[in-house]
Amino acid sequence: MTGALKSPKSLKDFFEYDFPETPYPTFIPLGFAKKIKEAGPESSLWKQFLPSELENSNDGLEDPIADEKYLVAGQLIHRYHNRALFLPTSKCPIVCRYCFRKNELYEQNRIFDVQFDKVLQYLHANEQINEIIFTGGDPLMLSDEKLKTYLDSFSNVASIKYIRIHTRFPVILPERIDEKFVELMSNYSQRFSQINVAIHVNHKDEITEEFKESVARLKSIPKLDMLSQSVLLKDINDCPNSLASLMTQLSELGIRPYYLHHPDSVKGATHFQLSLEEGSDIYLKLRRILPGWQLPHYVVEQAEGKGKIPATNFRA
Ligand SMILES: *Cc1c(COP(=O)(O)O)cnc(C)c1O
Ligand code: SF4
């Protein structure tokens, strides 16, 4: 990928700002960096993607959702009976400061070995799995050719009916969703019952003209539905009105609000955390503003990798 900021010097020069030292890498494509700079240091964009002194805290966990426990065939996380996560890459188009994998990212494939033959063997042996969820990292980091190879293989497994792709690209690098990609996905949408693209978007400031255009291109793909997922983040989107505006705008663009994730306790990102009580209060207010069909599921990961449950269950 050309044109990205990553060295401390390039960040300082571009943003004309003195950032603190932290142990975590920074990576921001130039086009999106311009948007962050325009928005300024108090904005939701700046706080989500630029280094902060607060990252130096030692609170929180290194692997909060215990992925490794459910890792099979080197590249699948099989936690739910009929669906499995597929992890073809650990790279992303940007580094989010709140990332739940922030202590693993860019340590190349520390936990995920590439053993694609084993993945296919596992799927053939486990015909109850009918959905493959591409995640990572961000699966759209892969070239179209590589995506094609994987989609070809999965379309030859008779039990796989659904494909889901979790991505932040429409926000960060919307030009990735180009005509070639649309053509590729249009070919494959005939070979599965349904393809879902789950777009990671946290704040209405992320809905730019370029975002809308990439969403319109996705929408032109037959049998493809768009979902959203957002992380509830302190001082970013912890406001019912702001969240309601995000969900309304997403739904007007044809994206169904799907998940609002309660933040995990991640080392280096605990300044984004809220308590479940605070989160539930925000969600119940959001519930009053939005009709049910624009309301995302508010979920939290249970300890020891046991999976997501409704976060309001924790409410006393
Ligand atoms: C969230 C998640 C899924 C997808 O679950 P849905 O309920 O289908 O959204 C699948 N596998 C793992 C490991 C997950 O964490
Ligand atoms: S896109 Fe997701 S996996 Fe990648 S850095 Fe952001 S939160 Fe982490």
Coordinates of all heavy atoms in Angstrom, one line a residue, residues 62-63 68 71 74 90 101 103-113:
E62 N -3.8 -9.1 27.6 CA -3.1 -9.1 26.3 C -4.0 -9.8 25.2 O -4.0 -9.4 24.1 CB -1.8 -9.8 26.4 CG -0.8 -9.1 27.4 CD 0.6 -8.9 26.8 OE1 0.9 -9.5 25.8 OE2 1.3 -8.1 27.4
D63 N -4.7 -10.9 25.6 CA -5.5 -11.6 24.7 C -6.9 -11.7 25.3 O -7.3 -12.8 25.8 CB -4.9 -13.0 24.4 CG -5.8 -13.8 23.4 OD1 -6.7 -13.3 22.8 OD2 -5.5 -15.0 23.3
E68 N -7.1 -18.3 21.0 CA -6.3 -19.5 20.8 C -7.1 -20.7 21.2 O -6.8 -21.8 20.7 CB -5.0 -19.3 21.6 CG -4.0 -18.5 20.7 CD -2.8 -18.2 21.5 OE1 -2.8 -17.1 22.2 OE2 -1.8 -18.9 21.5
L71 N -9.0 -22.2 18.4 CA -8.3 -22.2 17.1 C -8.2 -23.6 16.6 O -7.7 -24.5 17.3 CB -6.9 -21.6 17.3 CG -6.1 -21.3 16.0 CD1 -6.8 -20.2 15.2 CD2 -4.7 -20.9 16.4
G74 N -5.3 -24.2 12.3 CA -4.3 -23.1 12.2 C -4.9 -21.8 11.8 O -4.4 -20.7 12.1
S90 N -3.3 -11.1 9.2 CA -3.3 -10.4 10.5 C -3.1 -8.9 10.3 O -3.0 -8.1 11.2 CB -2.2 -10.9 11.4 OG -0.9 -10.7 10.8
R101 N -6.9 -6.7 19.5 CA -5.7 -7.5 19.2 C -4.5 -6.6 19.2 O -3.5 -7.0 18.6 CB -5.9 -8.1 17.8 CG -7.0 -9.1 17.6 CD -6.6 -10.3 16.7 NE -7.6 -11.4 16.9 CZ -8.6 -11.5 16.0 NH1 -8.8 -10.7 15.1 NH2 -9.5 -12.5 16.2
N103 N -2.2 -6.1 21.1 CA -0.9 -6.7 21.6 C -0.4 -7.9 20.7 O 0.6 -8.5 21.0 CB -1.1 -7.2 23.1 CG -1.4 -6.0 24.0 OD1 -0.6 -5.2 24.3 ND2 -2.7 -5.8 24.3
E104 N -1.2 -8.2 19.7 CA -0.8 -9.2 18.8 C -0.5 -8.7 17.4 O 0.3 -9.3 16.6 CB -1.9 -10.3 18.6 CG -2.3 -11.0 19.8 CD -3.7 -11.7 19.5 OE1 -4.1 -11.8 18.4 OE2 -4.3 -12.0 20.5
L105 N -1.1 -7.6 17.0 CA -1.1 -7.1 15.6 C 0.4 -6.9 15.2 O 1.2 -6.5 16.0 CB -1.8 -5.8 15.5 CG -3.3 -5.8 15.3 CD1 -3.7 -4.3 15.2 CD2 -3.7 -6.5 14.1
Y106 N 0.6 -7.2 14.0 CA 2.0 -7.0 13.4 C 3.1 -7.9 13.9 O 4.2 -7.8 13.5 CB 2.3 -5.5 13.4 CG 1.4 -4.7 12.5 CD1 0.2 -4.2 13.0 CD2 1.7 -4.6 11.1 CE1 -0.6 -3.6 12.1 CE2 0.9 -3.9 10.3 CZ -0.3 -3.4 10.8 OH -1.2 -2.8 9.9
E107 N 2.8 -8.7 14.9 CA 3.7 -9.8 15.2 C 3.2 -10.9 14.2 O 2.3 -11.6 14.5 CB 3.5 -10.3 16.6 CG 4.1 -9.4 17.7 CD 3.9 -10.0 19.1 OE1 3.9 -11.2 19.3 OE2 3.6 -9.1 20.0
Q108 N 3.8 -10.9 13.1 CA 3.3 -11.6 12.0 C 2.8 -13.1 12.4 O 3.7 -13.9 12.8 CB 4.3 -11.7 10.9 CG 4.3 -10.5 10.0 CD 2.9 -10.3 9.4 OE1 2.4 -11.1 8.7 NE2 2.3 -9.2 9.8
N109 N 1.6 -13.3 12.2 CA 1.0 -14.7 12.4 C 1.6 -15.4 13.6 O 2.0 -16.5 13.6 CB 1.4 -15.5 11.1 CG 0.6 -15.0 9.9 OD1 -0.5 -14.6 10.1 ND2 1.2 -15.1 8.8
R110 N 1.6 -14.7 14.7 CA 2.1 -15.3 15.9 C 1.3 -16.5 16.3 O 1.8 -17.6 16.6 CB 2.0 -14.3 17.1 CG 2.7 -14.8 18.3 CD 2.7 -13.7 19.4 NE 1.4 -13.3 19.9 CZ 0.7 -14.0 20.9 NH1 1.3 -15.0 21.5 NH2 -0.5 -13.5 21.2
I111 N -0.1 -16.4 16.2 CA -0.9 -17.5 16.6 C -1.5 -18.3 15.3 O -1.9 -19.4 15.5 CB -2.0 -17.2 17.6 CG1 -2.9 -16.1 17.0 CG2 -1.5 -16.8 18.9 CD1 -4.1 -15.9 17.9
F112 N -1.5 -17.6 14.2 CA -2.2 -18.2 13.1 C -1.2 -18.7 12.0 O -0.5 -17.9 11.3 CB -3.1 -17.2 12.4 CG -4.0 -16.5 13.4 CD1 -4.0 -15.2 13.6 CD2 -4.8 -17.3 14.2 CE1 -4.9 -14.6 14.5 CE2 -5.7 -16.7 15.2 CZ -5.7 -15.3 15.3
D113 N -1.0 -20.0 11.9 CA -0.2 -20.6 10.9 C -1.0 -20.7 9.6 O -2.2 -20.9 9.7 CB 0.3 -21.9 11.3 CG 1.2 -21.9 12.5 OD1 1.8 -20.8 12.7 OD2 1.3 -22.9 13.2

